[in-house]
Amino acid sequence: MKIAIEINVFGENISKVVEYPGTPASQGEVIQWLMSQTDYKWADYEHAPQADRLLYNYREGSIN
């Protein structure tokens, strides 16, 4: 079954139509499925070594 999703994270909006396996019974079920499809990472940017922050800024295209 195809479902339309819209995710907003820190002002970035992602909208897609995706293939969902089966028919969802609830919004919670869809959220659990989305989380299992998502690769996310986090890091303590403020306390990271300067070299790591520079690499992150380079990848993201920002220079601070």
Side-chain angles (χ1 to χ4, degrees):
M1 158 180 220
K2 290 188 186 280
I3 61 171
I5 62 165
E6 182 176 275
I7 300 171
N8 186 298
V9 179
F10 300 114
E12 298 292 323
N13 212 354
I14 302 167
S15 297
K16 290 204 174 263
V17 175
V18 296
E19 191 68 38
Y20 184 84
T23 303
S26 68
Q27 185 173 351
E29 180 183 318
V30 173
I31 291 169
Q32 283 183 322
W33 177 77
L34 285 171
M35 291 301 291
S36 73
Q37 303 301 307
T38 304
D39 181 26
Y40 54 91
K41 301 175 193 171
W42 70 273
D44 185 351
Y45 180 82
E46 290 182 355
H47 297 100
Q50 179 69 20
D52 291 344
R53 283 186 279 161
L54 287 172
L55 282 174
Y56 177 82
N57 291 339
Y58 175 76
R59 283 194 306 262
E60 294 300 308
S62 64
I63 304 285
N64 293 341

